[in-house]
Amino acid sequence: MKRLISSLSLCLTLSLVISPLAAAVTSTADDQGTDYRKQWHSDISTGYQTLAAQSQALKDQAETYCKAPSSEGLKQTRKAWLDAFLAWQEVRFVDFGPVEQGNRAWQFQFWPDPKNLTARKASYLLKDSAPVTAEKISESGVAVQGFPMAEYLLYDQTFSAGSNALPADRTCSLLVAVTRHIADNGANLANDWKGFESNYVGNQQYTDTTIRAAMAGLEILEERRLAAPMGLRGNGKRSVYNADAWRSGTSLIAAEASVRGLKNYFLPAFSSLLHDRKQSGLAQDIEQQFDEVLANFPELDRPMAPLLADDNAFRSLQSLYIDITQLTALVNDRAAVELGIVRGFNSSDGD
Amino acid sequence: MHELTRRSLIKAALAGGAAVTLTGCGMLPEKAAYKGARQYTGAIGLADGSFAVGAIAPDGKMLWQSPVSTRCHSGCNRPGSAEVLFFERRPGWSFYVLNSRTGERLHHIQAGEGEHFVGHGVFSQDGRFLYATASRYDPGEGIVAVYDSQQDYQRVNTFELNGTGPHQLTLHPDGRTLIVGLGGILTHPDYDRIKLNLDTMKPALVLVDSQSGATIGRFSPSHHQLSTRHVDVAPDGTIYAAYQYQGPAHELPPLIARYRHGRYEEIDLGESVHRKLGNYIASIVAHPENDLVAIASPIGGTALVFNGLSGKVLEQASIADCAGVEALAGGDFLVSSGRGKLVRIGKGQPAREIASMPVQWDHHLV
C-alpha cells in the first residue's frame, strides 16, 4: 500500500513538470537523427528476425505434431506457439513501415475481438468440406490468419473438450495452414524491413513516427491490455475476456514481452536521443522505470483470470499497472513534451 | 454521361456567379446559400472522456454544449431552421438533431438495418431533405441515405454510389448535384477500423443528381490508394477534393484535386509543404468570398491557405492536432484543434490564436 501511495505521488509530480516551449525532434541536426534511425532499424531488425525464426519453428512443430500426434507433441506445439507469440509481442509496438502492408499487424494478432470472430470463423472453417489451403487462409480475413486462431485451436477449453479437438484431421490441417501463414508473414516482414532501411534512415519524419509508435504501444498496454480487463474503464467490471491471449492465460507474460521489446528495440536509440537533447536525467528515469516494470516478473508470469477473481491477488496486478502508468507518464507525457511530439485526438483516428 | 456532367456543371458555374454577388455584401461567410445562425458547431471530446457537440460564436465563446453518448464527427446545419445535425463517427449508428440556439436534442435517428453512417451529411437547399453518406457494411456498398426532415427524419430514399467507403458530401451551388468523396476503403464494424482492401481500393470523386440519385460524374485520383475523403465547392462551382494517402509515409503524392471547366486535376503544393501534411488532410474548405482554400492536417500538425486557382501556398501555421476548418466573414478561415485551440488564418497575416478551451475539437466545424 505504501508503495502504491508513493507511486501515485510520483505520478502527480511528473505531470506538473512540463516544459511549455519544446522544439520538435525533427529540428535536431539530421545527421544525428540518421544515427538514431540506423540504430532503431538494426534493433527492430533483430526483433523481426527472432519473430521470423520463432514463427518458422512454430510451423515446423505444428507439422511434426500433426504427422504423429501425442500429448507431449501438443505440449511442445503450445510451447512453440508461446515462443513465437512472445517474439511478436516484443515488436508489436512497431506500427509503421512494412508491418502496415496488407494489415500484417492485424494478421499476426486480430484483437480486440468482442464478437468472438475467432471462434465463429474456426467453427465455419471446420464445418466446410473444402480443403484448408493457403488460399483459403488468405481469403478468410485477419481473424483466421494469426496467433489468436492458433491459440484457439491449441488452448480453448470448450473447443478442446469437443469433437473437433486436436489432433482431429481437419483441425490439424487448419492449425498447420494458420502457422504456415504466420511463418510466411514473419519471413516476409523481416525481409521487407531490411529493404525498408534506406527509406527509414533517410526520412527524418520516421524519428517522430518511431517515438509515437512506442507511445502508442505503451498506451495500448496500459489502457486496453491492463486497465480494461482490470475493470478500471467502462462499466467497472473485471473481465479477463477484455484482455488479449486469455485462452492461453498468457496476457501478462505477453505484457512482459512487450515491455522487454520496447526496452531492447526502442530504448537504446531513444536514450541516445534524450542524452543528446540534454535530457540525461529523464533518460535515466525512463531506463530505471523499465526495470521497475520488469521487476514484477517472472512472479507475474501467470494467467490473469485468478488475479482478477481474488482481491488479494489483484494487488500484484495493481502494482504492475501502476509501474506501467509511471512508465507511460515518463515517455508519453514528459519525454514527448520535451521533444515536442504530439499524439492527438484527431491525428490518430483515420477519418 | 460525360456531356451531361459538363452541361450541368457549366449551368452550375453560372448559378454560382449569382451566389458570389449575394455574399458580397457582408452576409454570413458560408459556402452554402444559407446558414441559420452566426455560429460554428463541432463535435468535442471532454476532459473526463465523455463527448458532446458544442457551438461557438465567431469570437471563440462557447455558446452551448450538448452531451452525446459517443464521439461524433461532423454534421450540417438545416437551412431555414434552427436545427443542426451531428453524426456519430464511423461506424456511426445514429445522428443527433439539435436546436442550434440551445443545443437541446430534438431527434436521435438510428442508422438503417445493416447500415452505418460515416460522419457526414448535407441538406437540400430548401432544408427539407437530408443526404447522409452511409455504408451497407456486409457487402461494403457505399450509399447516400435520404431522410425527410418534414416527416421527423423518415428515411425516404437511397442512392447507390457503386463504390466503397463514402465520406464527406456537399451540395453543389447548382442546388442539385451532390459532391461525394468516395474514400474507397472497405471497413467492417466487426473488424474495428481495419482497412480491408488497401490493394484493391477504388477511390473517386462522385457527382450524384440529388433528385434522381443517378451518378452523373466520377473522377479517379492518380493513384488507387489516394483515399478521396473530403470535398468542398466554391460558389463558382469549382470543386476541391482532399486525399489521405494509404501508401508508405515516405512517398509524397499529391493530396488535393480540383475540378473546374470539365477538367479534373491534382494540385502539387511542393515537396516542402507535402512533408508537413503527413499524407493526410482532415478538412478542406473553399472560401465563399475569394479564391482561397484552406486545409488542415492533424498528422502533420499543419494548417495552410492556398490560392485555389494557382495552387500557391499563401499562409501556413503549425497547429498541433488541427483538423476543423470553416470560412470566416471577411475572407479568413477558422481552424480548430484536438487541443482546444481556435486559430484564425488568412492571407497576408500570421495565424493568430483566438481561443483555447478545455475541449478536444473533432475533425469538422459546420
Side-chain angles (χ1 to χ4, degrees):
Chain A
M1 192 62 197
K2 195 176 166 201
R3 187 174 172 207
L4 197 96
I5 289 164
S6 69
S7 301
L8 286 173
S9 64
L10 177 59
C11 276
L12 289 174
T13 323
L14 289 180
S15 62
L16 293 173
V17 188
I18 294 176
S19 137
L21 290 170
V25 174
T26 45
S27 66
T28 350
D30 197 48
D31 36 341
Q32 264 182 340
T34 305
D35 289 346
Y36 310 136
R37 292 193 296 278
K38 273 185 189 153
Q39 177 155 11
W40 272 322
H41 186 271
S42 156
D43 289 345
I44 291 167
S45 191
T46 306
Y48 276 163
Q49 310 253 11
T50 308
L51 173 61
Q54 298 292 358
S55 302
Q56 176 72 30
L58 167 62
K59 184 212 83 169
D60 291 346
Q61 174 55 38
E63 286 172 352
T64 306
Y65 164 68
C66 283
K67 266 182 210 146
S70 69
S71 61
E72 181 57 26
L74 180 60
K75 223 166 110 185
Q76 283 177 13
T77 312
R78 285 179 177 158
K79 166 84 168 56
W81 176 87
L82 182 60
D83 289 344
F85 182 61
L86 296 184
W88 163 246
Q89 296 307 317
E90 292 191 0
V91 292
R92 185 173 165 187
F93 74 94
V94 183
D95 61 2
F96 58 88
V99 79
E100 284 184 284
Q101 286 166 28
N103 291 312
R104 275 182 181 145
W106 289 102
Q107 290 189 42
F108 279 115
Q109 188 175 8
F110 173 61
W111 184 80
D113 181 14
K115 299 203 170 166
N116 204 5
L117 288 186
T118 307
R120 278 160 53 191
K121 290 260 180 182
S123 153
Y124 172 79
L125 284 169
L126 292 171
K127 268 184 214 144
D128 195 357
S129 58
V132 190
T133 57
E135 291 71 42
K136 187 84 191 164
I137 299 297
S138 290
E139 72 197 22
S140 292
V142 292
V144 170
Q145 294 163 343
F147 290 109
M149 178 55 79
E151 180 195 29
Y152 176 80
L153 303 176
L154 287 164
Y155 291 92
D156 189 82
Q157 282 190 4
T158 315
F159 180 75
S160 296
S163 57
N164 284 323
L166 285 168
D169 281 353
R170 196 162 172 87
T171 307
C172 251
S173 303
L174 181 57
L175 178 69
V176 167
V178 170
T179 56
R180 277 183 188 156
H181 192 91
I182 294 172
D184 284 350
N185 271 340
N188 291 336
L189 179 59
N191 204 36
D192 291 351
W193 179 257
K194 282 186 193 153
F196 180 56
E197 180 167 7
S198 63
N199 280 325
Y200 179 74
V201 174
N203 278 276
Q204 61 176 25
Q205 59 178 322
Y206 281 120
T207 298
D208 272 26
T209 302
T210 309
I211 298 171
R212 278 203 199 98
M215 290 162 65
L218 282 170
E219 190 181 292
I220 289 167
L221 178 57
E222 175 185 326
E223 287 294 319
R224 296 171 79 174
R225 295 169 65 182
L226 289 173
M230 289 169 70
L232 307 176
R233 299 292 177 271
N235 62 12
K237 284 191 189 134
R238 298 177 197 170
S239 168
V240 77
Y241 301 117
N242 289 331
D244 57 355
W246 55 269
R247 289 190 167 96
S248 55
T250 58
S251 314
L252 291 171
I253 194 171
E256 179 196 14
S258 290
V259 175
R260 191 174 57 236
L262 282 164
K263 189 186 170 194
N264 292 342
Y265 307 140
F266 170 72
L267 185 60
F270 188 58
S271 277
S272 308
L273 189 152
L274 287 171
H275 282 291
D276 293 343
R277 293 292 298 265
K278 311 263 182 289
Q279 297 292 334
S280 297
L282 179 55
Q284 210 177 359
D285 289 349
I286 291 173
E287 285 161 18
Q288 274 175 9
Q289 193 56 37
F290 266 100
D291 292 336
E292 285 282 323
V293 173
L294 291 171
N296 290 278
F297 303 95
E299 197 197 321
L300 269 183
D301 288 346
R302 290 189 275 158
M304 196 190 272
L307 304 180
L308 297 176
D310 177 296
D311 279 345
N312 259 328
F314 190 69
R315 288 201 189 102
S316 58
L317 205 50
Q318 281 177 315
S319 158
L320 169 69
Y321 175 73
I322 284 171
D323 283 343
I324 286 178
T325 59
Q326 284 178 40
L327 180 60
T328 309
L330 282 167
V331 176
N332 291 18
D333 299 337
R334 255 189 84 187
V337 168
E338 294 290 354
L339 300 172
I341 292 177
V342 178
R343 282 187 70 245
F345 188 61
N346 295 309
S347 60
S348 47
D349 87 332
D351 257 324
Chain B
M1 178 187 276
H2 187 65
E3 264 313 294
L4 180 66
T5 306
R6 283 193 58 184
R7 255 204 333 271
S8 67
L9 286 168
I10 291 163
K11 204 176 86 185
L14 292 172
V20 172
T21 322
L22 285 175
T23 51
C25 54
M27 296 277 292
L28 291 163
E30 262 304 311
K31 53 188 183 290
Y34 181 90
K35 175 144 175 168
R38 190 183 277 265
Q39 66 184 40
Y40 300 86
T41 313
I44 48 186
L46 299 168
D48 63 0
S50 66
F51 299 101
V53 172
I56 40 164
D59 64 1
K61 191 189 293 168
M62 187 73 80
L63 299 170
W64 50 259
Q65 282 183 22
S66 178
V68 289
S69 50
T70 56
R71 182 173 168 181
C72 287
H73 183 67
S74 189
C76 51
N77 293 284
R78 182 179 165 208
S81 79
E83 288 180 16
V84 61
L85 272 66
F86 257 76
F87 292 83
E88 286 183 333
R89 74 198 290 267
R90 192 167 54 84
W93 303 113
S94 69
F95 65 80
Y96 297 90
V97 183
L98 307 173
N99 180 320
S100 61
R101 296 194 185 101
T102 62
E104 181 201 353
R105 188 186 296 183
L106 306 172
H107 300 278
H108 185 194
I109 307 296
Q110 303 298 315
E113 181 79 26
E115 299 173 2
H116 67 70
F117 298 113
V118 296
H120 289 271
V122 71
F123 271 96
S124 57
Q125 276 182 342
D126 63 5
R128 177 166 181 184
F129 293 108
L130 169 71
Y131 305 97
T133 36
S135 177
R136 274 189 212 111
Y137 52 82
D138 273 327
E141 294 165 352
I143 55 171
V144 174
V146 188
Y147 294 84
D148 185 351
S149 65
Q150 291 179 3
Q151 298 182 63
D152 289 339
Y153 290 92
Q154 269 189 48
R155 175 72 164 269
V156 291
N157 212 340
T158 303
F159 302 156
E160 299 296 330
L161 291 170
N162 299 306
T164 297
H167 196 64
Q168 189 174 27
L169 81 172
T170 191
L171 187 65
H172 195 281
D174 67 5
R176 178 158 177 176
T177 307
L178 292 168
I179 302 163
V180 185
L182 189 70
I185 298 177
L186 177 66
T187 57
H188 190 286
D190 284 357
Y191 288 92
D192 200 345
R193 288 162 80 93
I194 305 181
K195 297 161 183 171
L196 297 164
N197 66 333
L198 290 179
D199 294 338
T200 57
M201 290 168 56
K202 285 184 188 157
L205 172 71
V206 182
L207 305 178
V208 176
D209 183 328
S210 64
Q211 291 178 20
S212 68
T215 294
I216 55 171
R218 194 176 193 97
F219 308 95
S220 302
S222 56
H223 187 285
H224 78 281
Q225 289 181 319
L226 287 167
S227 181
T228 310
R229 297 285 185 90
H230 294 104
V231 292
D232 200 16
V233 58
D236 72 353
T238 304
I239 296 170
Y240 294 91
Y243 303 151
Q244 296 172 0
Y245 182 52
Q246 305 299 315
H250 53 83
E251 295 179 3
L252 299 172
L255 296 172
I256 295 162
R258 177 183 59 211
Y259 180 84
R260 66 195 290 262
H261 304 324
R263 283 182 61 192
Y264 184 83
E265 303 169 289
E266 291 174 346
I267 299 176
D268 187 350
L269 299 176
E271 185 180 322
S272 63
V273 173
H274 271 260
R275 289 209 179 281
K276 295 177 189 160
L277 295 175
N279 282 338
Y280 185 103
I281 295 176
S283 292
I284 186 163
V285 171
H287 205 293
E289 300 172 14
N290 51 42
D291 290 335
L292 303 183
V293 180
I295 56 174
S297 167
I299 290 185
T302 297
L304 60 84
V305 174
F306 65 94
N307 182 300
L309 302 179
S310 68
K312 186 169 185 257
V313 176
L314 303 168
E315 284 299 329
Q316 295 182 47
S318 290
I319 306 166
D321 209 29
C322 61
V325 180
E326 255 302 358
L328 284 168
D332 287 352
F333 296 92
L334 184 67
V335 176
S336 61
S337 87
R339 302 197 147 190
K341 307 274 189 205
L342 295 172
V343 177
R344 187 177 182 124
I345 182 170
K347 182 181 165 185
Q349 54 188 353
R352 56 191 190 282
E353 183 176 315
I354 61 169
S356 181
M357 39 188 84
V359 301
Q360 300 168 303
W361 291 104
D362 200 272
H363 273 208
H364 301 282
L365 293 175
V366 300

